Amino acid sequence: MNRSLSLVTAIAVTGVAVVALTGCAGGASSADDKTLRVAMGSPGEAQIRVWESVAEQFEAA
């Protein structure tokens, strides 16, 4: 039982590491390319307005 739990844990840790490293991989983007991406489900109109405001502040900066 301990060996199978260790194997599952090792696979899970490896999967998380791969996803994290893939997300941190550099791309072929220029120094002027600034993009803020937020992934989330549909939170409703009130939250959408908040995120649109955040996007406007980001773009202004």
Side-chain angles (χ1 to χ4, degrees):
M1 185 69 171
N2 283 340
R3 183 180 175 136
S4 64
L5 183 59
S6 295
L7 179 61
V8 169
T9 302
I11 291 171
V13 168
T14 302
V16 169
V18 167
V19 169
L21 291 174
T22 302
C24 294
S29 61
S30 68
D32 293 332
D33 183 22
K34 295 178 175 80
T35 303
L36 174 65
R37 293 188 180 142
V38 178
M40 58 190 226
S42 179
E45 289 299 316
Q47 282 299 107
I48 290 172
R49 284 192 296 275
V50 169
W51 284 112
E52 287 174 348
S53 173
V54 170
E56 289 171 6
Q57 292 172 28
F58 176 79
E59 290 173 356

